[in-house]
Structure formats: structure tokens, C-alpha cells
Amino acid sequence: MNSYKQDEKTEKKSKFSTMPRLFSYLLAYKGRIIAVFALMAFGTVVDLINPLLQERAIDNYILPGDIPGLIKIVILGAVLNILTVIAIKIRMLLMAKTSNKVIQNLRQQLYDHIQGLDLAFFDSRPSGKILARIIGDTNSLKDIIENAVTTLIPNMVTVIAVLVIMFIKNWKLALAALCSLPFMIAGIFLISVMAEKHWRAKRQKSSNMNAFINEDLSGIKIIQSFRAETETDKTFQELVWDDRKEFIRAVRWCDGFGSWIDICWSVGTAALYLVGIKFLGIDNVSIGTYIAFGSYVSMFWQPIMNLSNFYNQFVNAASGAERIFEIIDTKAFVKDKDGAQALPPIKGSVQFKDVTFGYDEEKKVLQNVSFDVTAGETIALVGPTGAGKSTVVNLISRFYDIDSGSLCIDGKDVRDVQLETLRTQMGIMTQDNYIFSGTIRENIMYGKLDATEEEMIAASKAVHADDFIRNLPDGYDTKLTARGGELSNGQRQLVAFARTMLSNPKILILDEATSSIDTKTELLVQAGISSMLKGRTSFVIAHRLSTIQNADRIFVIDQGGIIESGTPAELMAKKGADDKLRQAQCA
């Protein structure tokens, strides 16, 4: 359980290189973004004009008592600000649609890429942590994408424009109002460094918690059977506490942004009036100018406050974007090479020549393994646990690539052909064949999506699944939850058998496929298995003697290779390693 508390090791990249990559997804919607920029430009101009309208209204109309002129300027200001409100509403609607579309595209790209990664990627990551990136990390990017356009750009433009206007109107008052700016920059730099550190840690802790929840719910039957609820609850509390602790730390530092800017804002405002009144003199600056400057000071500091809040989102989203792009940048080791050809319909011969393979560089599971299997031959793979039986069939399916040697099907190296055309001609049955949520019909049709109803029923009958399915309340339309909890282990296996039978593979792999079937059910399915094996090259991994007694040959795998091979009769006569395994099973 402690493994869930270990943070994922991801390459730390500069947020200023990660975020431009994220924002590049907006380029697919240039028309909308240009419209948003136009609406923002109009609103920003109106905001900048408002203090000037106030100054003019006070100095030119209110003080002289020009009521008609005051009414005109008030109407002008009202019309401009009403139009601004409308522009803001339209801008928000456009950006909401755009940001949602960008997140949808990014999540689809991430999901598609993950599906194309090889098993080595999934071996090293709990499924919950992968799920956290597809759901949680992508969701965290929505606001930052939207606010980058609607908050970052207009506020930066406003700050620059206000600075220019203030210095043009009165550079002395401008310097006084901005006297605290250097202190603000230094404080924000320190706060941003610490906030970024804790937001990154927060996302790691959230990922750990999500991974634990996913795995815990998947294994709830084991947890309850061993009465491990107290232990798992303790682990969950620790993970929640770690997540909460990092969140509080990050928020405390982020709260410092607002407090520090408020202090600098107050100092700048006080300096403005102190310099204006005490040193420049009240008679040297008009009342309208004072009020306009007060408005511009607020217009300068308020965007900075907004930018500080945006930065809080920015550092949080940057850590999520890093984690997403880290997966997108992960290269699949098993993939189609340039120029890979489609594998034509195969007969099913398999050749291993000096094949060496290991899941890591230090330990090799197979060493210089060679054998030839003719089309239509049934090979039983036996040996102790961990000897490499499943490794052999995983290599044939090219879930992993061999380290050296060659692996050919019908004389073609599997690394030279397209993966899709290789695997569509194979059927793989394991001990725990996954049942998807949906109907039994949908699960069987997964083997051949364009199969007819007659083909599906024929496949079910061949493995003796049709009878029990028709006895269910809704027959083939019976709805199942994920993993098929409504069915017995044997029934789930029969559904998986029917699915594989429907795919009509030329090479069939049975990896402990009957281990979950009771003896009575096994007797029914043996005839179905026999029909599946006919005309197909088959590799059967099983401990039950009944499963392998009809094999054409048996390979005994141990010590990194095939230590014995021959027909069942030949190996029994030798009384070698295979015979010892049989005796151990019967003991």
C-alpha cells in the first residue's frame, strides 16, 4: 500500500515552455480568437476612456455648471459602457465554447496516444494515475485556457496603457503612485517560486490518491475477503491528508499575492496624494486630474491583482500540463516502423531463432530460444511459474519486442509488418478475460464488430455458451457491469471464449484460459476448444493435464529456454522435466 504514496517521477520542464505548447491548441480556432480579441480591445479602450470622461465632466461641465454638456458626456459614457457589457457577455460565451473544445481535443489526443502505447508503459503505472491525467489534469486546464485570453492579455494591455497615460498626464504623480512597484515585483517573485513548488506537489498527491481509489475499488472483493478495510482506510486517510497538506501550503502562499499587492497598492495611493497635495500643491493640479489619477491607480493595481490570481491558476495548470505532455511525449517502443507492410492472411507457422528477451536490461527471461511451429500445430507450454511461458506468447502477439534474434510468422519478421494486421489474425484468451459493461451480445461482438447475428450465435454454440446465455432473463441482451460481476467465473470465461471464436483467428493463444472453469463446465467447453484448435496454430499454457494432453507437442520452459520438447507420449516416456511437473500437479 505504501507504493501509492510514492510520487511519479516526471521530467520537470519550465512552465514558460509548457504553456505556449498548451496555448498552441487555440490556433485551430483562429476566427473565434480574433473575434474575442476585437471584443476585448473595445472593452479595454472604453475602460481607459472612462477616467478621462470623468476628468472632462468635472473640470469642463460640473464646475462651470454646464448641464447640457454634462448630460451629453454622461449619455456617451453610458452607451459605451452598455456596449462593453454586451461585448463581455459575447466574449465569455465564445471563449467558453473554445476552451471546452480545446480540452475535448486534448483529452482525445491523450487517450488515443495512451491506447497506442505498449504494455511496458502500463506495467510501470497504476491505472488510477493514468486516469488522473486523462480526467483530472485535463479538467484543470479549462480555466487557464479561457483566462489566458480573457484575463492575461487584456490586463497586461491595461497595465501598459495606464502607465503610458499616467506619465503623459503628469510624470511626477505617476512616479509617486508607482513608488512601491519594485517591492511588489520582488515579493511576487518569491511567492511565485514557493507557490509553484507546492502546486506541483499537490497534483502529485492528488494523482496518488486517485490511483489508490481506483485500485482499491477494483480489488474490493479481495479487501473484504481478507478483512483489510481498516488497513486500506488508514492508507486512504494518509493519502487524503498528504493531498490536503500540500493544498493548504499552496493556497497559503497564493494568498500572499493578494495581501502583498494590497499593501503596495495602499502605499502607492498614499504616495500619490502626499506628493500631489504637499509637494505639487493643490492649486497646481485640477480636481478632475486628481480623480482621474485615482481611477488610473486603481486601474493599474486591479489588473495586477487579477494577474496574480491568474498566476495561481497558471502554476497549478502548468503542473497538470507537464504531466499530460509527459505522457503525450512518451514514445511507444512497440510500433509500426517506417515502411511496415500489411501482413497478408497467414497460415500460422511461427519461427523463433535465437530469441533473447528481458523486461529490463539486467535480467533476461529468455536466452537464445529457437523453435519452429508449423501451421495448424498445437503447442502446449508448461513450466514453473515465472519461467517465461506467458512471455513467449506475448512476444508472438508483439506486445513486447525481442531484444535480439528473429521472430517470424509465415516467414515474415513481426517487426516488419503492421501491428493491426498482425493482431487481427490472432485470438488471445487469458485467465482473466475482461468483460466490458454492456450486453452479452456486445461483449461477444467485440471479437468481430461486423459479424452477423448468425455468426455470433454459431460462435457461442461452438464453445457451449449459447445454452446458459439463453437461460438468462434477457438472453443475449442481458446487461453486464464492468468485469461481468453478474456471471460466474465459468460463464465469464465462456463469453470470452465465444468472443475469441467469433474473431476466427489463425493463431490462437490460450493462457491459463480454463483455470477459472469448474470441472463440469470444463467438460462442456473441451469440445468447443477442440473445434477452436482445428485448422489453427495454437499455443496453450495450462497446468491442467486435460488441457494439454491433446497437444501435438509440449515445450517445457525453464532456465531461460526450452529444456525439453516432444509429443506428450515422448515426454512421458522420458520421465524428464515434464513428467516431474505432472507428478507435482497430482501430488
Side-chain angles (χ1 to χ4, degrees):
M1 293 295 182
N2 289 332
S3 62
Y4 291 99
K5 301 184 70 176
Q6 296 176 0
D7 296 336
E8 297 168 273
K9 294 181 179 179
T10 57
E11 181 183 355
K12 182 179 178 181
K13 297 182 180 179
S14 170
K15 54 184 175 293
F16 296 107
S17 64
T18 301
M19 299 312 286
R21 180 177 178 183
L22 174 63
F23 296 144
S24 68
Y25 285 79
L26 290 169
L27 296 178
Y29 306 95
K30 291 188 286 290
R32 290 184 186 179
I33 298 303
I34 291 173
V36 169
F37 281 157
L39 293 169
M40 286 192 305
F42 175 76
T44 301
V45 169
V46 172
D47 288 340
L48 293 171
I49 289 176
N50 279 332
L52 298 178
L53 293 177
Q54 292 175 359
E55 179 184 22
R56 187 174 182 83
I58 293 171
D59 291 343
N60 293 2
Y61 301 112
I62 295 178
L63 294 179
D66 185 354
I67 302 302
L70 177 62
I71 293 174
K72 290 179 181 179
I73 201 168
V74 168
I75 292 174
L76 174 61
V79 170
L80 290 176
N81 282 278
I82 290 172
L83 292 175
T84 299
V85 171
I86 296 173
I88 290 174
K89 296 295 184 182
I90 297 174
R91 182 192 74 190
M92 291 174 63
L93 178 62
L94 285 175
M95 275 311 303
K97 290 183 177 180
T98 303
S99 61
N100 280 321
K101 192 64 179 176
V102 167
I103 291 300
Q104 178 185 340
N105 294 342
L106 182 60
R107 180 176 285 131
Q108 187 66 55
Q109 180 187 1
L110 179 62
Y111 179 78
D112 291 344
H113 183 74
I114 289 174
Q115 282 205 313
L117 294 175
D118 44 74
L119 292 185
F121 171 83
F122 299 96
D123 291 341
S124 60
R125 289 171 172 82
S127 58
K129 292 193 176 185
I130 299 174
L131 181 64
R133 299 199 187 193
I134 297 175
I135 304 299
D137 287 341
T138 50
N139 283 341
S140 72
L141 302 181
K142 180 182 179 299
D143 289 340
I144 197 69
I145 292 173
E146 186 172 339
N147 292 336
V149 177
T150 59
T151 298
L152 176 64
I153 295 175
N155 279 285
M156 290 182 66
V157 170
T158 298
V159 168
I160 295 171
V162 166
L163 283 174
V164 172
I165 293 173
M166 289 172 69
F167 275 96
I168 290 175
K169 290 192 68 63
N170 192 312
W171 66 271
K172 294 180 181 179
L173 289 178
L175 286 176
L178 302 177
C179 66
S180 59
L181 188 59
F183 301 100
M184 182 208 70
I185 294 173
I188 284 182
F189 175 77
L190 172 62
I191 294 171
S192 66
V193 170
M194 297 305 298
E196 180 180 359
K197 171 185 174 182
H198 290 295
W199 277 124
R200 181 176 288 106
K202 164 67 173 63
R203 297 218 62 83
Q204 292 280 12
K205 302 303 181 185
S206 295
S207 177
N208 295 344
M209 182 175 63
N210 289 336
F212 176 80
I213 294 172
N214 180 270
E215 301 297 326
D216 184 74
L217 295 179
S218 299
I220 191 65
K221 185 176 181 180
I222 301 299
I223 293 172
Q224 291 181 349
S225 64
F226 287 98
R227 305 301 301 163
E229 293 93 341
T230 301
E231 179 64 24
T232 55
D233 183 67
K234 179 181 178 182
T235 302
F236 180 70
Q237 289 180 18
E238 292 173 354
L239 292 170
V240 170
W241 175 251
D242 288 343
D243 179 69
R244 176 179 177 272
K245 185 166 58 177
E246 287 300 336
F247 176 76
I248 291 175
R249 288 173 177 172
V251 169
R252 282 176 177 171
W253 278 103
C254 288
D255 286 345
F257 278 112
S259 300
W260 185 243
I261 291 173
D262 280 338
I263 293 172
C264 295
W265 186 344
S266 300
V267 171
T269 303
L272 166 68
Y273 292 111
L274 178 65
V275 170
I277 296 174
K278 185 173 180 62
F279 295 102
L280 296 183
I282 190 68
D283 295 331
N284 294 325
V285 182
S286 69
I287 295 176
T289 299
Y290 272 121
I291 293 176
F293 248 88
S295 297
Y296 279 125
V297 168
S298 296
M299 289 182 65
F300 174 80
W301 288 106
Q302 187 59 54
I304 290 180
M305 181 73 77
N306 295 338
L307 290 172
S308 71
N309 293 330
F310 172 81
Y311 189 81
N312 294 340
Q313 294 179 331
F314 181 78
V315 293
N316 186 21
S319 62
E322 286 174 12
R323 289 155 52 79
I324 290 172
F325 291 131
E326 186 265 339
I327 288 187
I328 291 179
D329 292 338
T330 298
K331 304 298 182 184
F333 294 105
V334 179
K335 61 181 179 180
D336 291 340
K337 71 178 186 180
D338 293 338
Q341 300 295 316
L343 181 65
I346 62 174
K347 294 180 179 178
S349 65
V350 178
Q351 301 85 34
F352 272 53
K353 185 176 180 180
D354 297 325
V355 169
T356 296
F357 172 78
Y359 294 99
D360 55 60
E361 294 295 330
E362 298 178 358
K363 184 179 179 181
K364 300 299 180 183
V365 179
L366 301 178
Q367 287 276 12
N368 300 318
V369 175
S370 298
F371 61 79
D372 286 329
V373 175
T374 59
E377 193 174 8
T378 297
I379 303 298
L381 304 177
V382 300
T385 301
K389 305 184 296 296
S390 294
T391 299
V392 170
V393 295
N394 282 336
L395 293 177
I396 295 172
S397 306
R398 207 187 164 204
F399 288 126
Y400 302 90
D401 270 340
I402 61 177
D403 296 335
S404 62
S406 66
L407 195 171
C408 299
I409 293 178
D410 284 5
K412 296 183 181 295
D413 194 303
V414 294
R415 292 169 293 186
D416 295 332
V417 300
Q418 296 171 0
L419 273 172
E420 182 179 1
T421 58
L422 169 68
R423 291 178 182 165
T424 53
Q425 301 190 64
M426 293 186 175
I428 303 171
M429 289 284 301
T430 65
Q431 179 178 352
D432 182 25
N433 274 280
Y434 196 88
I435 299 297
F436 297 92
S437 58
T439 64
I440 291 180
R441 172 181 280 101
E442 290 169 343
N443 270 275
I444 297 176
M445 294 287 282
Y446 210 80
K448 184 182 178 184
L449 297 178
D450 59 349
T452 64
E453 181 82 3
E454 291 72 19
E455 289 175 325
M456 180 200 66
I457 294 176
S460 301
K461 287 181 177 179
V463 296
H464 297 274
D466 182 71
D467 289 340
F468 97 81
I469 294 174
R470 291 188 182 276
N471 287 329
L472 294 173
D474 296 316
Y476 283 91
D477 293 316
T478 300
K479 292 185 178 297
L480 305 176
T481 56
R483 298 188 179 275
E486 298 84 353
L487 304 178
S488 68
N489 287 338
Q491 289 172 334
R492 286 196 295 270
Q493 290 296 87
L494 290 174
V495 170
F497 269 49
R499 179 169 60 199
T500 303
M501 187 69 173
L502 184 61
S503 68
N504 192 28
K506 290 299 182 181
I507 295 179
L508 179 65
I509 294 171
L510 303 179
D511 188 351
E512 299 287 358
T514 61
S515 61
S516 296
I517 299 178
D518 58 69
T519 304
K520 180 179 179 181
T521 306
E522 184 181 6
L523 293 174
L524 291 174
V525 85
Q526 283 301 329
I529 291 178
S530 297
S531 64
M532 291 176 70
L533 298 180
K534 287 180 181 179
R536 296 181 175 88
T537 304
S538 304
F539 292 85
V540 180
I541 301 174
H543 291 124
R544 291 186 179 184
L545 300 181
S546 57
T547 310
I548 62 177
Q549 62 186 358
N550 294 324
D552 295 311
R553 282 190 290 165
I554 297 175
F555 292 168
V556 182
I557 299 177
D558 198 7
Q559 303 170 17
I562 300 175
I563 60 174
E564 275 188 2
S565 66
T567 66
E570 289 173 346
L571 294 187
M572 286 185 68
K574 286 182 180 180
K575 295 187 180 297
D578 175 67
D579 188 59
K580 292 179 180 178
L581 288 170
R582 292 171 183 264
Q583 292 177 10
Q585 186 187 67
C586 295

